[in-house]
């Protein structure tokens, strides 16, 4: 094979996980101000499955083949002209951005603002479980909700990517953490630091009392969850109900003028500052990667299938050998 091509995960039509395949595409070259990264791993995110199934087709269009993958870990392979402060061989983690997905490939070309250095001692493959979800959780709890020690925090979808990071951070920030997840995952979230664990299928929200902060990584039934806020409580949503996305976003927008407690919503788009801050959180022992299973590149479709089946504990990661 030509050394000017590389393996990448592609799809030629929208559909289920089986539309994914490993093909060859031109290998990128770092342009001025860019860095070429040899990708060692990427994780599977909910937005990947939505892009693949056609949920964002108004944005992604009908030009194929298309690619998947938002985040990555790897080593710096080459530098474009004008790049300083980065050395070939450094281990890095980063985010391509939601408009330029394609980290499911052997190489990516990125600007320095799109990645940071992986902390020493962190496994390069497992580390990819953190860049997107953990920066989202930090922003949600520390910056959007201003979580304070001693406050009651409810995390919905606590076993998933953002959820598991939020449980760890809530505990590190001194909150009283209640984690809501499937019954089979309650031991997992308890081990992450949750003081209280709730089976979301059997316990009614009204039974839980009121909370100072709610982080919602589930996206469903937001009006009911919002009523669980104390006066002055803060709710941050990092997911929408994909069965009713327009209605879900409409409710979030309306919450700023109706009822108790505005629902803050954002979609993480981390940059260099967030990655450097994440490295500090890891070094200080506030966060660790939670990897459910590692798949080889050729089984990316299986990783998508597993995520859509539900029940993930942390993240599904794909390794590129």
């Amino acid at each position: 094979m030509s050394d000017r091509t590389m393996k990448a995960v592609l799809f030629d039509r929208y559909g289920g996980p089986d539309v994914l395949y490993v093909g060859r595409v031109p290998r990128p070259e770092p342009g001025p101000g860019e860095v070429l990264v040899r990708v060692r791993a990427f994780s599977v995110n909910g937005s990947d499955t939505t892009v693949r199934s056609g949920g964002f087709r108004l944005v992604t269009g009908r030009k194929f083949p298309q690619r998947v993958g938002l985040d990555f870990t790897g080593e710096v392979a080459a530098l474009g002209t004008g790049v300083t402060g980065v050395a070939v061989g450094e281990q890095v983690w980063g985010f391509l951005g939601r408009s330029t997905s394609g980290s499911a490939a052997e190489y990516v070309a990125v600007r320095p603002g799109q990645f940071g250095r992986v902390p020493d001692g962190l496994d390069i493959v497992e580390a990819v479980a953190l860049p997107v979800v953990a920066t989202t959780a930090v922003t949600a709890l520390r910056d959007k909700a201003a979580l304070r020690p001693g406050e009651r925090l409810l995390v919905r979808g606590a076993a998933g990517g953002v959820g598991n990071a939020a449980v760890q951070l809530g505990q590190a920030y001194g909150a009283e953490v209640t984690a809501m997840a499937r019954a089979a995952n309650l031991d997992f979230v308890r081990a992450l630091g949750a003081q209280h664990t709730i089976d979301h299928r059997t316990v009614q929200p009204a039974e839980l009392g009121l909370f100072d902060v709610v982080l919602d990584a589930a996206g469903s039934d937001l009006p009911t969850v919002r009523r669980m806020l104390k006066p002055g409580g803060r709710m941050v949503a990092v997911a929408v109900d994909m069965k009713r996305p327009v209605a879900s976003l409409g409710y979030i927008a309306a919450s700023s003028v109706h009822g108790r407690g505005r629902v803050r919503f954002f979609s993480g788009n981390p940059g260099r500052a967030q990655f450097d801050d994440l490295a500090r959180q890891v070094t200080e022992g506030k966060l660790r990667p939670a990897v459910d299973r590692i798949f080889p590149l050729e089984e990316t479709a299986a990783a998508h299938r597993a995520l859509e089946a539900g029940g993930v504990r942390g993240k599904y990661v794909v390794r590129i050998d």
Side-chain angles (χ1 to χ4, degrees):
M1 289 289 183
S2 169
D3 60 4
R4 295 183 181 275
T5 67
M6 66 176 183
K7 291 181 180 179
V9 179
L10 310 169
F11 61 98
D12 294 329
R13 67 184 190 281
Y14 295 120
D18 291 341
V19 302
L20 298 175
Y21 65 95
V22 177
R24 299 199 74 90
V25 298
R27 171 178 160 172
E29 296 294 335
E34 290 186 332
V35 172
L36 184 69
V37 175
R38 168 70 168 94
V39 178
R40 296 299 179 185
F42 61 93
S43 76
V44 180
N45 296 278
S47 57
D48 290 316
T49 63
T50 303
V51 166
R52 185 217 70 229
S53 63
F56 296 147
R57 70 183 68 199
L58 291 179
V59 176
T60 54
R62 291 192 170 277
K63 184 178 180 180
F64 296 100
Q66 293 189 24
R67 293 166 56 179
V68 295
L70 294 174
D71 50 19
F72 62 88
T73 55
E75 296 97 21
V76 175
L79 306 178
T81 58
V83 175
T84 60
V86 183
V88 171
E90 283 186 345
Q91 292 191 335
V92 296
W93 52 16
F95 180 72
L96 287 189
R98 299 183 189 280
S99 62
T100 55
S101 63
S103 64
E106 291 181 302
Y107 291 89
V108 293
V110 292
R111 295 192 172 276
Q114 293 177 276
F115 66 86
R117 293 181 179 87
V118 174
D120 292 339
L122 200 59
D123 180 87
I124 191 66
V125 173
E126 293 187 351
V128 82
L130 287 174
V132 173
V133 298
T135 55
T136 298
V138 169
T139 302
L141 295 181
R142 187 189 63 190
D143 303 336
K144 300 292 185 179
L147 180 67
R148 296 185 291 269
E151 290 191 314
R152 294 194 75 207
L153 166 67
L154 173 66
V155 180
R156 292 185 75 220
V162 176
N164 92 82
V167 170
Q168 295 182 63
L169 286 168
Q171 190 275 335
Y173 294 160
E176 180 184 342
V177 182
T178 298
M180 185 174 286
R182 295 186 178 192
N185 290 335
L186 296 185
D187 59 335
F188 168 69
V189 294
R190 193 176 297 117
L192 294 174
Q195 290 99 325
H196 312 287
T197 54
I198 305 297
D199 178 359
H200 74 97
R201 294 180 176 178
T202 61
V203 177
Q204 297 299 314
E207 301 175 34
L208 302 179
L210 300 180
F211 293 86
D212 299 287
V213 174
V214 173
L215 187 145
D216 188 274
S220 60
D221 204 16
L222 294 182
T224 298
V225 179
R226 186 182 173 202
R227 289 194 289 270
M228 299 169 67
L229 287 174
K230 292 180 179 180
R234 292 87 70 199
M235 180 172 171
V236 182
V238 297
V240 298
D241 187 347
M242 293 310 298
K243 295 180 180 178
R244 303 168 62 247
V246 175
S248 182
L249 288 170
Y251 175 79
I252 291 170
S255 74
S256 61
V257 294
H258 296 292
R260 181 176 66 199
R262 178 172 67 88
V263 181
R264 300 157 177 84
F265 176 80
F266 74 100
S267 181
N269 188 26
R272 183 60 183 265
Q274 286 75 30
F275 292 128
D276 290 345
D277 182 51
L278 174 59
R280 286 191 293 271
Q281 305 271 353
V282 171
T283 301
E284 293 171 2
K286 295 178 181 178
L287 278 168
R288 65 180 189 272
V291 177
D292 188 312
R293 182 179 170 188
I294 299 173
F295 296 79
L297 182 66
E298 290 73 17
E299 295 182 17
T300 300
H304 274 233
R305 196 174 298 113
L307 184 64
E308 291 181 331
V312 62
R313 292 185 171 203
K315 295 299 293 287
Y316 291 125
V317 167
V318 178
R319 180 187 67 247
I320 303 178
D321 292 322

